[in-house]
Amino acid sequence: DQQVKQNSPSLSVQEGRISILNCDYTNSMFDYFLWYKKYPAEGPTFLISISSIKDKNEDGRFTVFLNKSAKHLSLHIVPSQPGDSAVYFCAAIYSGNTPLVFGKGTRLSVIA
Amino acid sequence: DVKVTQSSRYLVKRTGEKVFLECVQDMDHENMFWYRQDPGLGLRLIYFSYDVKMKEKGDIPEGYSVSREKKERFSLILESASTNQTSMYLCASSLGTESTYEQYFGPGTRLTVT
């Protein structure tokens, strides 16, 4: 039973345009959400996060939106750059000391 | 700057061998985790630990064991390696407070079992 779902395995976007990566979750107990970026042969690196008390968090070219009623979050990258080509993982966590629950990832390709 | 290191980047072992994957973090983090990453399956949690000598099973613990004798070190053990354990293994650590959920990952070990 997948609690965090990334339904698009891959996404291709032209350089300079917006990339939108989506993530859905089923467990209403989740109250903190994170996005990680992973290049081949490297470990994932933290990108941006959002608490359930917010609906938007911005960091430079990256913005995460949270819609709690729809149990949906999205990561927007504007403008997209070739160096953004990577696998992006969505993750969620309850309050307290529990492990992150990861989605299966979306491979983003930014085409020059 | 948090650093998580893993003992090997690439490893090739034979079926039936006992395999040790070592992970060390230098930021005094309470929590440590082992994942494997396979194409189309994302990151799957094998084992985790919230304290020294403490361990908890993740989603796919079968065929694996772990050891945490010191706070900074978390070892993953494949008792008898099999070909279906060929994968990328990722170690992570986190501070363990409610205000910081971020996990820091090591570079990964690409294990091939032949």
Side-chain angles (χ1 to χ4, degrees):
Chain A
D1 179 30
Q2 241 188 304
Q3 298 185 71
V4 177
K5 298 178 186 178
Q6 294 177 256
N7 292 319
S8 300
S10 63
L11 176 68
S12 270
V13 171
Q14 277 201 308
E15 182 179 5
R17 307 294 289 266
I18 184 170
S19 295
I20 301 176
L21 295 96
N22 294 304
C23 179
D24 297 296
Y25 61 97
T26 57
N27 194 331
S28 56
M29 297 288 289
F30 289 140
D31 65 356
Y32 200 81
F33 303 88
L34 305 92
W35 284 93
Y36 281 80
K37 175 180 178 178
K38 186 182 184 299
Y39 293 118
E42 293 184 15
T45 54
F46 170 73
L47 198 55
I48 192 169
S49 62
I50 188 166
S51 164
S52 60
I53 62 173
K54 295 185 174 182
D55 55 18
K56 178 182 173 182
N57 188 26
E58 229 172 319
D59 184 2
R61 296 186 298 115
F62 302 92
T63 303
V64 56
F65 295 92
L66 175 63
N67 182 334
K68 281 182 66 179
S69 60
K71 295 192 179 70
H72 177 83
L73 63 155
S74 60
L75 174 68
H76 292 212
I77 306 173
V78 184
S80 301
Q81 299 172 354
D84 296 329
S85 297
V87 177
Y88 290 79
F89 291 99
C90 171
I93 193 168
Y94 311 112
S95 288
N97 232 0
T98 57
L100 291 178
V101 179
F102 284 88
K104 292 186 176 181
T106 297
R107 180 177 301 278
L108 173 66
S109 300
V110 180
I111 304 157
Chain B
D1 200 22
V2 177
K3 196 160 186 184
V4 180
T5 56
Q6 295 183 229
S7 50
S8 306
R9 292 300 302 272
Y10 299 94
L11 210 51
V12 179
K13 295 291 181 180
R14 293 197 180 276
T15 302
E17 278 193 81
K18 190 167 186 175
V19 181
F20 292 86
L21 302 182
E22 304 285 337
C23 175
V24 177
Q25 50 93 4
D26 66 357
M27 283 300 291
D28 203 34
H29 281 176
E30 303 291 333
N31 306 331
M32 296 189 75
F33 309 84
W34 274 106
Y35 295 86
R36 61 179 283 180
Q37 184 199 4
D38 300 288
L41 297 178
L43 297 171
R44 294 184 291 167
L45 182 65
I46 305 171
Y47 267 97
F48 59 102
S49 169
Y50 289 138
D51 201 353
V52 175
K53 295 194 185 292
M54 179 258 164
K55 61 186 178 186
E56 294 281 350
K57 292 180 180 179
D59 299 318
I60 52 162
E62 296 79 18
Y64 303 94
S65 63
V66 289
S67 171
R68 193 165 180 203
E69 297 295 320
K70 293 185 178 181
K71 190 176 186 180
E72 67 271 18
R73 188 179 297 268
F74 193 35
S75 303
L76 180 69
I77 303 151
L78 286 67
E79 296 289 343
S80 177
S82 64
T83 54
N84 63 11
Q85 292 179 310
T86 291
S87 186
M88 167 71 93
Y89 289 88
L90 293 158
C91 175
S93 71
S94 69
L95 193 55
T97 65
E98 291 203 7
S99 59
T100 51
Y101 296 118
E102 182 184 340
Q103 288 182 6
Y104 297 85
F105 283 84
T109 296
R110 170 71 64 186
L111 173 67
T112 302
V113 182
T114 62

